[in-house]
Amino acid sequence: MSDMLRAPAETKYADELDYLESVDTDPKPSTWRLSPKMIRTFVLGSDSSDGPDREIAQKWFGDRGVVERAIVTLASDRGLLLIGDPGTGKSWLAELLAAAVCRNSTQVVQGTAGTTEDHIKYSWNVSMVIAKGQSRESMIPSPIMTAMETGTIGRFEELTRSTSDVQDALISILSEKYVSVPELGGEDGIVFAKPGFAVIATANSRDRGVNDLSSALKRRFNFVQIPVVTDKASEAEIVRFRTEELLRRHDLQLDVPPSLLDVLLRSFGDLRDVAATAGSDDERLESALSTAEQIGVLEDAVLHSDFFGDRTLTARALGSSLVASLARRTPEDSAILTKYLTGVVGPRSQQEGGEWPQFLDAGLDTLKALA
């Protein structure tokens, strides 16, 4: 795993998956590596009622019911569509579920405006076609087709980013469970899905209206809404979890004071309140202010402190990182952040002291440099 920039979940947590599989005695679909209960334990972590003697770390932070509904959908004949705001952990949950069900989370199609039907079905190795003609050997299966042939899970990220004709290519796959290959005849002309095949798709709720799903495609998916984390304790746990992961990944021995995590969480909470009461888009930051963006701000500050500081996260590094990451439009975002820093952080730094004065000074200095 040391030679991977980012190991997939089935590699990263292979030891846990092996252990859970060895002690799993609950009923499960015939092709699944783990039972639904053990998959839930793998994703949400173990508790006293789950049974395993070994502690299993929590990997996704959210509603237990969301995970259970997702698992039940995968055991059915329908596709699973995880939909929610940016930063709610849709892709991470999809990866964990695929890793637990079939030990392969890497069969992924990324939806973009440039995604074509070939990315969902198949394409051809041109040199082999010229040399030997069209055959199964010269065909290049898509990740979704590979999942069909192996009876595993295929993932489709950002489904609503792809055009309607590309989306509709999924309809026959989800309903008929096969892909026709007109170029080939006989038995090679149809690729049937094996038992265990399923599709997990994700969609950004803020992309509604970009490429809406057709009614036919909607009927073939179970929609599972991923709510925004509003509980401060849960969000703090997510940020701490990702911070520890970041430090391990970069092999950093760096101190992250809890007081600075509190500054970060409160700042994002304040800015979300500003966005909620804004009367127009010009009065709210372009950033979605998601938990994922909080983690990005913290990662930037941690790496800056390690490379150019004294190996301790400082309020100045955090303040500078927050402003630099969130000031995406000039002058709109700069004006919003200036108003926030002078109107909210300024009085708070005088009343509470602590890390806030340095955080304020760094934020204002960064805004001046961006002007």
Side-chain angles (χ1 to χ4, degrees):
M1 192 167 70
S2 60
D3 59 348
M4 296 183 190
L5 182 61
R6 181 191 177 280
E10 61 270 20
T11 301
K12 184 175 182 179
Y13 300 111
D15 190 44
E16 280 191 3
L17 289 167
D18 288 341
Y19 168 75
L20 290 173
E21 194 170 343
S22 70
V23 299
D24 192 0
T25 58
D26 289 311
K28 59 188 175 184
S30 61
T31 60
W32 286 20
R33 300 289 294 269
L34 294 176
S35 67
K37 284 186 179 179
M38 281 301 186
I39 293 173
R40 183 185 63 190
T41 299
F42 173 68
V43 174
L44 295 176
S46 57
D47 59 35
S48 57
S49 65
D50 284 325
D53 296 328
R54 169 178 169 174
E55 182 180 357
I56 303 300
Q58 186 171 4
K59 302 165 191 66
W60 187 81
F61 296 81
D63 183 70
R64 184 186 187 97
V66 167
V67 176
E68 292 177 351
R69 287 195 298 275
I71 295 170
V72 168
T73 297
L74 290 176
S76 73
D77 199 38
R78 296 165 67 82
L80 169 62
L81 179 61
L82 302 174
I83 185 168
D85 283 354
T88 49
K90 303 181 295 295
S91 298
W92 180 230
L93 177 56
E95 181 177 341
L96 290 171
L97 291 170
V101 168
C102 63
R103 292 290 192 102
N104 189 343
S105 66
T106 60
Q107 294 164 162
V108 184
V109 174
Q110 181 64 51
T112 68
T115 303
T116 67
E117 191 172 331
D118 291 353
H119 293 117
I120 298 175
K121 293 184 174 180
Y122 59 89
S123 57
W124 298 98
N125 182 321
V126 178
S127 60
M128 286 186 67
V129 169
I130 293 172
K132 299 181 180 179
Q134 290 176 322
S135 64
R136 285 301 300 271
E137 289 71 29
S138 60
M139 188 173 70
I140 303 173
S142 71
I144 299 295
M145 181 180 280
T146 299
M148 294 174 68
E149 292 182 295
T150 55
T152 53
I153 290 178
R155 294 168 51 204
F156 198 126
E157 290 290 314
E158 305 291 356
L159 179 59
T160 51
R161 293 272 178 172
S162 53
T163 57
S164 57
D165 58 325
V166 174
Q167 293 176 17
D168 287 345
L170 276 176
I171 292 177
S172 63
I173 292 174
L174 291 173
S175 58
E176 307 300 335
K177 301 296 189 290
Y178 67 78
V179 172
S180 296
V181 186
E183 297 90 341
L184 303 179
E187 295 181 356
D188 289 339
I190 298 181
V191 176
F192 290 97
K194 291 184 178 178
F197 168 69
V199 173
I200 304 177
T202 65
N204 188 335
S205 55
R206 298 198 179 198
D207 286 341
R208 285 176 178 168
V210 176
N211 290 300
D212 287 335
L213 303 183
S214 67
S215 297
L217 190 54
K218 285 180 180 178
R219 289 195 301 270
R220 287 158 176 83
F221 276 112
N222 270 356
F223 284 56
V224 175
Q225 186 79 33
I226 309 294
V228 175
V229 177
T230 56
D231 179 68
K232 290 188 177 357
S234 296
E235 188 166 47
E237 193 62 37
I238 295 171
V239 174
R240 288 192 190 96
F241 174 77
R242 290 300 189 191
T243 302
E244 292 170 0
E245 197 174 55
L246 164 73
L247 295 175
R248 285 195 301 270
R249 186 168 74 244
H250 292 283
D251 196 24
L252 299 178
Q253 303 296 321
L254 185 138
D255 181 35
V256 180
S259 59
L260 285 179
L261 288 180
D262 182 62
V263 168
L264 178 66
L265 290 164
R266 290 176 67 183
S267 296
F268 266 72
D270 294 336
L271 290 168
R272 286 170 184 161
D273 291 340
V274 170
T277 58
S280 68
D281 288 342
D282 286 346
E283 296 174 352
R284 62 171 63 91
L285 291 171
E286 188 177 65
S287 164
L289 297 170
S290 66
T291 304
E293 286 173 309
Q294 279 192 72
I295 295 165
V297 168
L298 184 60
E299 180 175 14
D300 179 76
V302 163
L303 292 175
H304 190 278
S305 298
D306 183 70
F307 294 155
F308 304 110
D310 56 4
R311 303 183 69 80
T312 299
L313 180 64
T314 64
R316 289 198 62 84
L318 189 64
S320 177
S321 173
L322 183 138
V323 170
S325 298
L326 301 184
R328 300 174 183 177
R329 299 175 301 173
T330 303
E332 294 90 349
D333 286 352
S334 297
I336 295 168
L337 288 168
T338 299
K339 184 177 180 180
Y340 165 65
L341 289 171
T342 55
V344 177
V345 179
R348 185 178 291 161
S349 67
Q350 293 179 347
Q351 295 168 6
E352 300 183 21
E355 309 283 5
W356 290 104
Q358 289 189 30
F359 179 82
L360 171 64
D361 291 341
L364 292 173
D365 288 346
T366 304
L367 281 170
K368 290 177 184 176
L370 294 174

